[in-house]
């Protein structure tokens, strides 16, 4: 049997937006198909955002959702299975506030540090940014490499933390090991036959991206494959042609 795992932003939906209806119909068609499979969602976002972005017709056909970098797992039948807590060091919070104050980005906004179960999400442009402001920041960040240099500095100062590029605008921070690989590890221990295979889809599978650890875990255990995609179009096209 195959166990399909999907990241959300940039993989099933555009960043922080709902799934487009044509994609939702195609995905529903695929998920209701005859092949025996299990499907999980694995996102950096919290559950509220996943419920906003994916239609309930799709979520109800999944086995569960790993939220907040798999620091929380919601099983579709049992409800909340686990939720990790973490108190980030005060020095980290003050360093993040300094990044906001000293950012060279012109339109620094609000909601810069979001506390989620087991992790924090940080962005200089802020979570209140509109879709347009997100795009603008993302273009600027590709030139200035602000997020990349913040990650490098933080990794040096906090070797016991995982610090990775989130989606369009942000950085995900969690204690080392408490990353998306918690998803594959949990399934392996609790809900996987030895001969079943993971199939993971993510848009941040490169080193430094927040899908990298799950890819590395699958590769290390040689129990699946992954697809590094450029957006929902590519995800749906692979699903319909290959599976
Ligand atoms: O799911 C990917 C990421 O989506 C959002 O990223 P951004 O706001 O940068 O587009 C965040 O929820 C992030 O935590 C998450 O990893």
């Amino acid at each position: 049997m195959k166990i399909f795992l999907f990241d959300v932003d940039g993989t099933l939906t555009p960043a922080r937006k709902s799934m487009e209806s044509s994609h939702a119909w195609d995905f529903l068609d695929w998920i209701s198909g005859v092949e025996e499979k299990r499907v999980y969602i694995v996102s950096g976002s919290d559950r509220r955002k996943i419920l906003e972005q994916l239609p309930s017709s799709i979520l109800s056909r999944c086995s569960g959702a790993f939220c907040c970098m798999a620091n929380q797992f919601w099983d579709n039948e049992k409800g909340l299975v686990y939720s990790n807590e973490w108190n980030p060091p005060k020095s980290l919070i003050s360093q993040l506030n300094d990044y906001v104050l000293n950012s060279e980005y012109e339109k620094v906004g609000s909601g810069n540090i979001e506390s989620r179960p087991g992790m924090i999400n940080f962005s200089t442009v802020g979570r209140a940014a509109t879709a347009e402001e997100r795009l603008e920041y993302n273009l600027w960040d590709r030139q200035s490499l602000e997020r990349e240099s913040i990650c490098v500095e933080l990794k040096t100062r906090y070797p016991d933390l995982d610090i990775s590029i989130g989606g369009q605008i942000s950085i995900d921070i969690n204690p080392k090991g408490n990353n998306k690989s918690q998803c594959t590890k949990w399934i392996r221990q609790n809900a996987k036959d030895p001969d079943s295979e993971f199939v993971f889809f993510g848009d941040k599978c490169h080193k430094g991206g927040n899908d990298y650890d799950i890819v590395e875990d699958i590769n290390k255990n040689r129990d699946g494959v992954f697809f590094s995609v450029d957006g929902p179009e590519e995800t749906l096209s692979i699903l319909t042609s290959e599976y």
Side-chain angles (χ1 to χ4, degrees):
M1 186 178 55
K2 292 199 175 16
I3 301 175
F4 289 86
L5 312 169
F6 295 93
D7 168 52
V8 178
D9 295 82
T11 299
L12 289 181
T13 76
R16 283 301 296 121
K17 288 192 175 160
S18 298
M19 198 171 191
E20 281 175 20
S21 60
S22 66
H23 293 154
W25 283 115
D26 288 348
F27 195 84
L28 261 180
D29 253 9
W30 170 80
I31 210 171
S32 317
V34 281
E35 196 205 335
E36 208 202 338
K37 55 180 167 285
R38 259 189 296 141
V39 178
Y40 293 89
I41 300 300
V42 51
S43 175
S45 287
D46 54 29
R47 185 165 178 255
R48 183 180 59 79
K49 297 191 189 80
I50 296 174
L51 295 175
E52 261 169 35
Q53 288 174 252
L54 298 179
S56 53
S57 51
I58 287 180
L59 287 171
S60 63
R61 286 169 171 81
C62 294
S63 299
F66 291 84
C67 319
C68 309
M69 305 292 283
N71 277 299
Q72 202 173 59
F73 174 51
W74 291 83
D75 180 275
N76 259 10
E77 281 168 13
K78 298 180 190 146
L80 182 62
V81 174
Y82 70 79
S83 183
N84 297 335
E85 294 308 322
W86 178 50
N87 280 327
K90 287 205 174 82
S91 60
L92 171 66
I93 300 296
S94 102
Q95 189 163 348
L96 296 178
N97 283 325
D98 285 347
Y99 284 130
V100 178
L101 284 175
N102 299 319
S103 174
E104 282 170 15
Y105 190 60
E106 279 176 5
K107 295 184 188 165
V108 161
S110 60
N112 307 91
I113 302 176
E114 186 172 89
S115 208
R116 300 178 187 161
M119 65 171 286
I120 50 179
N121 177 263
F122 171 71
S123 60
T124 51
V125 68
R127 299 222 64 79
T130 62
E132 213 170 81
E133 288 165 343
R134 286 175 147 266
L135 261 181
E136 268 178 46
Y137 175 81
N138 187 264
L139 285 177
W140 178 81
D141 182 55
R142 282 168 197 233
Q143 302 294 321
S144 66
L145 302 180
E146 178 181 64
R147 286 192 293 173
E148 217 171 288
S149 60
I150 292 176
C151 284
V152 169
E153 272 184 28
L154 290 177
K155 276 180 189 166
T156 312
R157 182 160 178 204
Y158 297 98
D160 51 346
L161 300 182
D162 280 330
I163 296 149
S164 53
I165 303 275
Q168 235 177 355
I169 58 165
S170 66
I171 294 173
D172 291 321
I173 306 174
N174 42 263
K176 211 161 201 71
N178 286 9
N179 50 49
K180 284 194 186 178
S181 70
Q182 294 177 103
C183 158
T184 34
K185 287 180 180 133
W186 189 90
I187 296 174
R188 227 176 260 124
Q189 274 179 13
N190 298 283
K192 182 178 176 296
D193 302 328
D195 54 347
S196 57
E197 187 190 43
F198 289 118
V199 183
F200 173 67
F201 288 77
D203 71 323
K204 291 278 182 299
C205 298
H206 57 278
K207 200 169 171 63
N210 73 356
D211 293 321
Y212 178 75
D213 298 293
I214 195 166
V215 164
E216 204 189 25
D217 186 63
I218 290 171
N219 286 342
K220 203 174 91 195
N221 287 280
R222 298 178 187 199
D223 57 358
V225 294
F226 77 94
F227 293 93
S228 174
V229 296
D230 204 21
E233 300 266 313
E234 193 180 355
T235 304
L236 266 304
S237 135
I238 296 170
L239 275 183
T240 44
S241 63
E242 306 273 326
Y243 298 100

